[in-house]
Amino acid sequence: AQTVTQSQPEMSVQEAETVTLSCTYDTSENNYYLFWYKQPPSRQMILVIRQEAYKQQNATENRFSVNFQKAAKSFSLKISDSQLGDTAMYFCAFMREGAQKLVFGQGTRLTINP
Amino acid sequence: EADIYQTPRYLVIGTGKKITLECSQTMGHDKMYWYQQDPGMELHLIHYSYGVNSTEKGDLSSESTVSRIRTEHFPLTLESARPSHTSQYLCASSESRPPYEQYFGPGTRLTVT
């Protein structure tokens, strides 16, 4: 069975700093998809970024980028120029090709301080 | 506008009451999911559905039940609420083809007194 591990339960940085959230996963599959979701306090969970395993190029969405290391089974999220609105729980998630459900990590609570 | 809706957003109810949490999506997605999440904690999948008339239990055992009579509607029912059911319930939906990303509703925060 696939597992996803987020080893940082909590992180805290100053506004405008860069922060990296780590995520590792365990799978024997070759075709799969990885996601980072953001859940702000008392607000809706939204997708931040996704990565297809067959793509070598790291995904980027504005200030958010990933470092996808397929051999190491690592999928970290980098937030550049962090903003107060980035304060949230961040969940890493994995889905193998053809599966019925996502596998989520435990989450990392990120706080951006003014 | 395509979206996923959950009602009610907040519910406080007494022990023993029957409750139904509503979830609807207008995106035409085949798959729908229910997660249970204590505040600030990890997500636990309790039910999912591949499509109409299909329902499956998730990874976390739950006393709740679900139904999928229409594509857009995936209600969750608790026949007899207990304080241990106090939690946040998140509904999500996704397509059956890549990239499989799930879209989440705003959640229902349930408190059983």
Side-chain angles (χ1 to χ4, degrees), chain B residues 13-72:
Chain B
I13 202 162
T15 297
K17 299 292 186 182
K18 178 180 179 179
I19 60 171
T20 296
L21 307 184
E22 301 288 350
C23 176
S24 295
Q25 50 97 4
T26 58
M27 295 175 281
H29 288 165
D30 292 326
K31 296 183 179 179
M32 296 189 74
Y33 309 83
W34 276 104
Y35 294 89
Q36 185 174 341
Q37 182 191 32
D38 291 330
M41 304 297 284
E42 59 189 295
L43 295 159
H44 296 286
L45 180 68
I46 52 175
H47 298 284
Y48 62 102
S49 168
Y50 307 124
V52 172
N53 293 326
S54 96
T55 60
E56 299 286 342
K57 290 193 177 296
D59 304 318
L60 180 68
S61 176
S62 173
E63 295 169 345
S64 59
T65 59
V66 292
S67 62
R68 190 91 183 273
I69 298 173
R70 303 198 317 264
T71 298
E72 63 271 21

Side-chain angles (χ1 to χ4, degrees), chain A residues 22-59:
Chain A
S22 66
C23 172
T24 58
Y25 56 94
D26 184 24
T27 185
S28 58
E29 303 288 334
N30 193 48
N31 296 324
Y32 51 87
Y33 302 81
L34 295 161
F35 307 88
W36 278 100
Y37 282 88
K38 170 185 178 182
Q39 187 180 35
S42 301
R43 291 178 61 188
Q44 203 156 339
M45 180 101 73
I46 58 172
L47 179 70
V48 175
I49 199 166
R50 70 167 181 266
Q51 174 82 42
E52 293 87 344
Y54 62 84
K55 290 185 177 179
Q56 292 186 338
Q57 187 171 5
N58 289 324

Side-chain angles (χ1 to χ4, degrees), chain A:
Chain A
Q2 289 83 14
T3 59
V4 177
T5 301
Q6 294 179 248
S7 58
Q8 305 149 311
E10 294 189 26
M11 296 187 72
S12 178
V13 299
Q14 296 299 120
E15 192 176 7
E17 289 183 348
T18 294
V19 60
T20 299
L21 280 59
S22 66
C23 172
T24 58
Y25 56 94
D26 184 24
T27 185
S28 58
E29 303 288 334
N30 193 48
N31 296 324
Y32 51 87
Y33 302 81
L34 295 161
F35 307 88
W36 278 100
Y37 282 88
K38 170 185 178 182
Q39 187 180 35
S42 301
R43 291 178 61 188
Q44 203 156 339
M45 180 101 73
I46 58 172
L47 179 70
V48 175
I49 199 166
R50 70 167 181 266
Q51 174 82 42
E52 293 87 344
Y54 62 84
K55 290 185 177 179
Q56 292 186 338
Q57 187 171 5
N58 289 324
T60 298
E61 290 287 342
N62 301 313
R63 297 183 294 107
F64 298 86
S65 61
V66 298
N67 183 5
F68 173 48
Q69 300 289 329
K70 192 172 183 178
K73 298 179 184 177
S74 171
F75 183 60
S76 61
L77 174 70
K78 186 173 83 170
I79 306 174
S80 303
D81 186 26
S82 58
Q83 300 175 358
L84 297 179
D86 295 332
T87 292
M89 283 288 289
Y90 287 81
F91 291 94
C92 178
F94 168 99
M95 186 159 183
R96 65 173 175 82
E97 180 73 55
Q100 301 301 331
K101 51 188 178 177
L102 283 172
V103 179
F104 282 92
Q106 305 90 331
T108 295
R109 183 189 307 277
L110 175 65
T111 301
I112 309 298
N113 299 304

